[in-house]
């Protein structure tokens, strides 16, 4: 187990280097001068432009900028945004908000998606199964921004169950509706994945053996069917958690959520290399750690999985 964890941690190094290099290159290759863009329609004095470019190392070649950034990262310095605010402070303000939003979304997926998929798989061919497949197909087909605006109009504006937008501090109660909207697309995938996995597991020999030994249905479903069906579902949830952390730009925009996704989008528009790459670096680290924990959790779901070698 220890050797497996060490190998996985060593894999983080090339992944981080490759990710930060690609992101930094793509931001660097964007057209336009980000320093000039800070002044909007006004024409800044050339001396001011040169001073700002030197302050943010924008007057140096790409590879030099990247190496300087890596050196700062190794020292724990995430850099400074064009507004003069440390990137670490921006991350400290936005990351908890997106973490709460993603956690709520995953919670809804685990409770609702797995439950519906389990019942649908156990009742294959029935009315509930057919209804679940139709609903999941609709959710997959409808764009997330449409779901967001419809949910905001119906449940927030018309019914008044939620706030139309998230207020200062983004409390848990105000993130419920954005989290539900964010989870809609993944909900359909979880339902279908759980359903197919349950149907496949229910036909395995060990399930039929457990039934032939006289075990009750209440024992067989949670211990033998559901537990062994969760491995592909948990894998998808782990991947989806990373996607939800950095891919909530549309949802955060609709509900005015001051999170990571909206901040990264605004930083890309402004060409703020340090902010974009620093945020992506932290997100990659979280993504890798979550996947490592999920890999280790496999042994709990399926005792046949071992990491001794």
């Amino acid at each position: 187990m220890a050797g497996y964890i060490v190998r996985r941690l060593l894999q983080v190094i090339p992944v981080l280097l490759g990710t930060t290099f690609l992101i930094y290159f793509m931001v660097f290759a964007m057209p336009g001068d980000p320093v000039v863009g800070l002044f909007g329609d006004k024409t800044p004095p050339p001396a001011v432009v040169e001073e700002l470019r030197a302050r943010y190392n924008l007057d140096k070649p790409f590879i030099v900028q990247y190496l300087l950034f890596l050196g700062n990262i190794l020292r724990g310095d995430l850099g400074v945004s064009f507004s003069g605010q440390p990137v670490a402070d921006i991350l400290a303000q936005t990351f908890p908000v997106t973490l709460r939003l993603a956690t709520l979304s995953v919670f809804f997926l685990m409770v609702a998606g797995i439950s519906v998929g389990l019942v649908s798989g156990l009742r294959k061919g029935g009315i509930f199964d057919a209804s679940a497949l139709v609903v999941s197909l609709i959710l997959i087909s409808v764009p997330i921004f449409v779901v967001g605006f419809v949910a905001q109009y119906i449940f927030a504006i018309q019914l008044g169950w939620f706030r139309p937008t998230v207020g200062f501090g983004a409390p848990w109660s105000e993130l419920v509706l954005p989290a539900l909207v964010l989870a809609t697309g993944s909900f359909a995938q979880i339902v279908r994945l759980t359903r197919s996995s349950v149907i496949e597991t229910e036909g395995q020999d060990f399930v039929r053996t457990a039934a032939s030994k006289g075990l009750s249905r209440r024992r067989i479903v949670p211990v033998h069917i559901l537990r062994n069906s969760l491995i592909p579902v948990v894998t998808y949830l782990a991947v989806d958690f990373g996607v939800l952390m950095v891919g909530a730009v549309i949802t955060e925009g609709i509900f005015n959520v001051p999170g990571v996704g909206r901040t990264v989008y605004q930083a890309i528009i402004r060409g703020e290399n340090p902010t974009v790459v620093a945020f992506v670096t932290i997100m990659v680290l979280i993504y890798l750690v979550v996947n490592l924990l999920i890999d280790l959790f496999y042994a709990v779901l399926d005792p046949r999985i071992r990491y001794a070698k």
Side-chain angles (χ1 to χ4, degrees), residues 23-32 58 60-63 65 273:
I23 296 298
Y24 211 99
F25 174 77
M26 287 187 288
V27 176
F28 183 87
M30 291 181 62
L58 297 177
K60 297 179 176 60
F62 161 73
I63 191 64
Q65 292 186 39
N273 303 24

Side-chain angles (χ1 to χ4, degrees), residues 230-303:
L230 283 181
I231 290 181
V233 178
V234 169
T235 303
Y236 181 86
L237 283 173
V239 175
D240 197 51
F241 183 79
V243 173
L244 294 176
M245 286 293 296
V246 298
V249 179
I250 297 177
T251 304
E252 290 184 355
I254 293 174
F255 294 95
N256 195 33
V257 180
V260 171
R262 194 177 67 169
T263 303
V264 172
Y265 173 76
Q266 292 173 348
I268 292 175
I269 296 299
R270 293 192 296 264
E272 294 195 13
N273 303 24
T275 304
V276 176
V277 182
F279 271 60
V280 171
T281 302
I282 299 300
M283 294 301 105
V284 170
L285 280 173
I286 294 174
Y287 184 85
L288 294 174
V289 170
V290 170
N291 277 271
L292 174 60
L293 294 177
I294 292 301
D295 285 348
L296 298 179
F297 188 59
Y298 286 164
V300 177
L301 294 175
D302 191 346

